[in-house]
Structure formats: structure tokens, C-alpha cells
Short mmCIF file of all heavy atoms in Angstrom, two decimals:
data_model
loop_
_atom_site.label_atom_id
_atom_site.label_comp_id
_atom_site.label_asym_id
_atom_site.label_seq_id
_atom_site.Cartn_x
_atom_site.Cartn_y
_atom_site.Cartn_z
N ASN A 1 166.37 93.27 106.54
CA ASN A 1 165.77 93.46 107.86
C ASN A 1 164.38 94.09 107.78
O ASN A 1 163.52 93.81 108.62
CB ASN A 1 166.68 94.32 108.73
CG ASN A 1 167.94 93.59 109.15
OD1 ASN A 1 167.98 92.36 109.16
ND2 ASN A 1 168.98 94.34 109.51
N ALA A 2 164.17 94.95 106.79
CA ALA A 2 162.87 95.59 106.63
C ALA A 2 161.77 94.57 106.35
O ALA A 2 160.63 94.75 106.76
CB ALA A 2 162.91 96.64 105.53
N LYS A 3 162.13 93.50 105.66
CA LYS A 3 161.18 92.46 105.32
C LYS A 3 161.29 91.24 106.22
O LYS A 3 160.55 90.27 106.06
CB LYS A 3 161.36 92.02 103.87
CG LYS A 3 161.08 93.10 102.84
CD LYS A 3 161.25 92.57 101.42
CE LYS A 3 160.93 93.64 100.40
NZ LYS A 3 161.10 93.13 99.01
N ASN A 4 162.23 91.29 107.16
CA ASN A 4 162.49 90.15 108.04
C ASN A 4 162.70 88.88 107.23
O ASN A 4 162.13 87.82 107.52
CB ASN A 4 161.36 89.96 109.05
CG ASN A 4 161.42 90.95 110.19
OD1 ASN A 4 162.39 91.69 110.35
ND2 ASN A 4 160.38 90.97 111.00
N THR A 5 163.53 88.99 106.21
CA THR A 5 163.73 87.88 105.29
C THR A 5 165.22 87.60 105.09
O THR A 5 166.02 88.53 104.94
CB THR A 5 163.08 88.17 103.93
OG1 THR A 5 161.68 88.39 104.12
CG2 THR A 5 163.26 87.00 102.98
N LEU A 6 165.55 86.34 105.08
CA LEU A 6 166.89 85.87 104.81
C LEU A 6 166.91 85.23 103.43
O LEU A 6 165.96 84.54 103.05
CB LEU A 6 167.31 84.85 105.87
CG LEU A 6 168.73 84.30 105.81
CD1 LEU A 6 169.72 85.34 106.31
CD2 LEU A 6 168.83 83.01 106.63
N TYR A 7 167.99 85.43 102.69
CA TYR A 7 168.11 84.88 101.35
C TYR A 7 169.37 84.04 101.20
O TYR A 7 170.37 84.26 101.90
CB TYR A 7 168.16 86.00 100.30
CG TYR A 7 166.97 86.92 100.31
CD1 TYR A 7 167.03 88.16 100.93
CD2 TYR A 7 165.78 86.55 99.69
CE1 TYR A 7 165.94 89.01 100.94
CE2 TYR A 7 164.68 87.40 99.69
CZ TYR A 7 164.77 88.63 100.32
OH TYR A 7 163.68 89.47 100.31
N LEU A 8 169.30 83.10 100.29
CA LEU A 8 170.48 82.37 99.87
C LEU A 8 170.48 82.33 98.35
O LEU A 8 169.66 81.63 97.75
CB LEU A 8 170.51 80.95 100.44
CG LEU A 8 171.76 80.14 100.07
CD1 LEU A 8 172.99 80.73 100.74
CD2 LEU A 8 171.59 78.67 100.45
N GLN A 9 171.37 83.10 97.75
CA GLN A 9 171.54 83.08 96.31
C GLN A 9 172.54 82.00 95.96
O GLN A 9 173.67 82.02 96.44
CB GLN A 9 172.03 84.44 95.81
CG GLN A 9 172.25 84.51 94.30
CD GLN A 9 170.96 84.40 93.52
OE1 GLN A 9 169.98 85.05 93.83
NE2 GLN A 9 170.96 83.55 92.50
N MET A 10 172.13 81.06 95.12
CA MET A 10 172.97 79.94 94.74
C MET A 10 173.20 79.99 93.25
O MET A 10 172.26 79.86 92.46
CB MET A 10 172.31 78.61 95.15
CG MET A 10 172.00 78.51 96.63
SD MET A 10 171.37 76.88 97.10
CE MET A 10 169.79 76.89 96.23
N ASN A 11 174.44 80.18 92.87
CA ASN A 11 174.83 80.23 91.47
C ASN A 11 175.78 79.09 91.16
O ASN A 11 176.42 78.53 92.05
CB ASN A 11 175.51 81.56 91.14
CG ASN A 11 174.62 82.75 91.37
OD1 ASN A 11 173.42 82.70 91.12
ND2 ASN A 11 175.21 83.86 91.83
N GLY A 12 175.88 78.77 89.89
CA GLY A 12 176.77 77.69 89.47
C GLY A 12 176.50 76.39 90.20
O GLY A 12 177.43 75.72 90.65
N LEU A 13 175.24 76.03 90.30
CA LEU A 13 174.85 74.85 91.06
C LEU A 13 175.43 73.57 90.47
O LEU A 13 175.53 73.42 89.26
CB LEU A 13 173.34 74.75 91.14
CG LEU A 13 172.69 75.73 92.13
CD1 LEU A 13 171.20 75.85 91.88
CD2 LEU A 13 172.96 75.29 93.56
N LYS A 14 175.80 72.68 91.36
CA LYS A 14 176.38 71.40 91.00
C LYS A 14 175.50 70.27 91.52
O LYS A 14 174.76 70.47 92.47
CB LYS A 14 177.79 71.27 91.59
CG LYS A 14 178.75 72.38 91.21
CD LYS A 14 180.06 72.23 91.94
CE LYS A 14 181.03 73.34 91.58
NZ LYS A 14 182.32 73.21 92.30
N PRO A 15 175.58 69.09 90.91
CA PRO A 15 174.78 67.97 91.40
C PRO A 15 174.98 67.69 92.88
O PRO A 15 174.03 67.30 93.57
CB PRO A 15 175.27 66.80 90.55
CG PRO A 15 175.68 67.43 89.26
CD PRO A 15 176.30 68.74 89.67
N GLU A 16 176.17 67.88 93.39
CA GLU A 16 176.44 67.65 94.80
C GLU A 16 175.77 68.66 95.72
O GLU A 16 175.78 68.49 96.94
CB GLU A 16 177.95 67.60 95.08
CG GLU A 16 178.71 68.79 94.55
CD GLU A 16 179.36 68.53 93.19
OE1 GLU A 16 178.70 67.93 92.33
OE2 GLU A 16 180.53 68.92 93.01
N ASP A 17 175.19 69.72 95.15
CA ASP A 17 174.43 70.68 95.94
C ASP A 17 173.01 70.19 96.22
O ASP A 17 172.28 70.82 96.99
CB ASP A 17 174.35 72.03 95.23
CG ASP A 17 175.70 72.72 95.11
OD1 ASP A 17 176.49 72.66 96.08
OD2 ASP A 17 175.95 73.32 94.05
N THR A 18 172.62 69.10 95.60
CA THR A 18 171.29 68.54 95.80
C THR A 18 171.07 68.19 97.27
O THR A 18 171.95 67.63 97.92
CB THR A 18 171.09 67.29 94.94
OG1 THR A 18 171.10 67.67 93.55
CG2 THR A 18 169.76 66.62 95.24
N GLY A 19 169.91 68.52 97.78
CA GLY A 19 169.58 68.20 99.15
C GLY A 19 168.41 69.03 99.65
O GLY A 19 167.85 69.83 98.91
N THR A 20 168.06 68.81 100.89
CA THR A 20 167.04 69.61 101.53
C THR A 20 167.72 70.75 102.27
O THR A 20 168.60 70.53 103.09
CB THR A 20 166.21 68.77 102.52
OG1 THR A 20 165.61 67.67 101.81
CG2 THR A 20 165.10 69.60 103.14
N TYR A 21 167.30 71.96 101.97
CA TYR A 21 167.92 73.15 102.55
C TYR A 21 167.03 73.71 103.64
O TYR A 21 165.82 73.88 103.45
CB TYR A 21 168.17 74.19 101.47
CG TYR A 21 169.37 73.89 100.61
CD1 TYR A 21 169.36 72.82 99.72
CD2 TYR A 21 170.53 74.65 100.71
CE1 TYR A 21 170.47 72.51 98.96
CE2 TYR A 21 171.64 74.36 99.94
CZ TYR A 21 171.61 73.29 99.07
OH TYR A 21 172.71 73.00 98.30
N TYR A 22 167.64 74.01 104.77
CA TYR A 22 166.93 74.52 105.93
C TYR A 22 167.44 75.90 106.32
O TYR A 22 168.64 76.15 106.31
CB TYR A 22 167.10 73.59 107.13
CG TYR A 22 166.58 72.18 106.93
CD1 TYR A 22 167.39 71.19 106.38
CD2 TYR A 22 165.28 71.85 107.29
CE1 TYR A 22 166.92 69.91 106.20
CE2 TYR A 22 164.81 70.56 107.12
CZ TYR A 22 165.64 69.59 106.56
OH TYR A 22 165.16 68.32 106.39
N CYS A 23 166.54 76.75 106.69
CA CYS A 23 166.86 78.01 107.31
C CYS A 23 166.85 77.82 108.82
O CYS A 23 166.03 77.07 109.35
CB CYS A 23 165.83 79.07 106.89
SG CYS A 23 166.01 80.68 107.68
N ALA A 24 167.76 78.48 109.51
CA ALA A 24 167.84 78.32 110.95
C ALA A 24 168.27 79.62 111.62
O ALA A 24 168.85 80.50 110.99
CB ALA A 24 168.83 77.20 111.31
N ALA A 25 167.99 79.70 112.92
CA ALA A 25 168.32 80.90 113.68
C ALA A 25 168.62 80.55 115.12
O ALA A 25 168.18 79.51 115.63
CB ALA A 25 167.17 81.91 113.62
N HIS A 26 169.37 81.41 115.78
CA HIS A 26 169.56 81.30 117.22
C HIS A 26 169.89 82.67 117.78
O HIS A 26 170.18 83.61 117.04
CB HIS A 26 170.63 80.26 117.59
CG HIS A 26 172.04 80.66 117.27
ND1 HIS A 26 172.75 81.57 118.04
CD2 HIS A 26 172.88 80.26 116.28
CE1 HIS A 26 173.97 81.71 117.53
NE2 HIS A 26 174.07 80.93 116.47
N SER A 27 169.83 82.78 119.10
CA SER A 27 170.07 84.04 119.78
C SER A 27 171.29 83.97 120.70
O SER A 27 171.40 84.75 121.66
CB SER A 27 168.83 84.46 120.58
OG SER A 27 168.46 83.46 121.52
N GLY A 28 172.20 83.07 120.42
CA GLY A 28 173.39 82.91 121.23
C GLY A 28 174.46 83.94 120.92
O GLY A 28 174.26 84.88 120.16
N SER A 29 175.62 83.73 121.52
CA SER A 29 176.70 84.71 121.43
C SER A 29 177.55 84.57 120.17
O SER A 29 178.22 85.52 119.77
CB SER A 29 177.61 84.59 122.65
OG SER A 29 176.89 84.84 123.86
N TRP A 30 177.54 83.39 119.56
CA TRP A 30 178.41 83.13 118.44
C TRP A 30 177.61 82.80 117.19
O TRP A 30 176.43 82.46 117.25
CB TRP A 30 179.37 81.98 118.78
CG TRP A 30 180.09 82.18 120.07
CD1 TRP A 30 179.90 81.50 121.23
CD2 TRP A 30 181.11 83.15 120.35
NE1 TRP A 30 180.72 81.97 122.21
CE2 TRP A 30 181.48 82.99 121.70
CE3 TRP A 30 181.73 84.13 119.59
CZ2 TRP A 30 182.46 83.79 122.29
CZ3 TRP A 30 182.71 84.92 120.19
CH2 TRP A 30 183.06 84.73 121.52
N CYS A 31 178.29 82.87 116.05
CA CYS A 31 177.66 82.59 114.77
C CYS A 31 178.64 81.79 113.93
O CYS A 31 179.65 82.32 113.47
CB CYS A 31 177.28 83.89 114.07
SG CYS A 31 176.16 83.70 112.67
N ALA A 32 178.34 80.51 113.75
CA ALA A 32 179.25 79.63 113.04
C ALA A 32 178.47 78.57 112.27
O ALA A 32 177.26 78.40 112.45
CB ALA A 32 180.21 78.96 114.02
N LEU A 33 179.19 77.85 111.41
CA LEU A 33 178.58 76.85 110.55
C LEU A 33 178.40 75.52 111.28
O LEU A 33 178.83 74.47 110.81
CB LEU A 33 179.44 76.65 109.30
CG LEU A 33 179.50 77.83 108.33
CD1 LEU A 33 180.73 77.72 107.44
CD2 LEU A 33 178.23 77.88 107.50
N ARG A 34 177.76 75.57 112.41
CA ARG A 34 177.53 74.38 113.23
C ARG A 34 176.04 74.24 113.52
O ARG A 34 175.47 75.04 114.26
CB ARG A 34 178.32 74.46 114.54
CG ARG A 34 179.84 74.40 114.34
CD ARG A 34 180.55 74.27 115.67
NE ARG A 34 180.53 75.51 116.41
CZ ARG A 34 181.46 76.46 116.33
NH1 ARG A 34 182.51 76.29 115.52
NH2 ARG A 34 181.35 77.56 117.04
#
């Protein structure tokens, strides 16, 4: 929060992890993988 930064540490990467990764945010009431 001090740096206003979000991280994603990815270990043990697999070929199926290949793709374009996006960061996203919202200000709604819920927080889910949608």
C-alpha cells in the first residue's frame, strides 16, 4: 500500500501459464475471480 503496487509472484511456471496477464481493479462490494 505504501507504494500503491500490486504483485503477482509466479513460481513453478508451466507452459499452460503462457498468456497475456492483466492487472485489474474495481470499487464494488465484492471481490472474486470474475
Side-chain angles (χ1 to χ4, degrees):
N1 290 338
K3 296 182 178 180
N4 283 351
T5 301
L6 184 75
Y7 302 100
L8 182 67
Q9 180 66 47
M10 303 185 293
N11 299 323
L13 285 164
K14 304 175 180 180
E16 52 263 43
D17 294 320
T18 294
T20 302
Y21 283 69
Y22 299 88
C23 175
H26 71 77
S27 57
S29 299
W30 309 109
C31 194
L33 293 159
R34 294 188 287 270

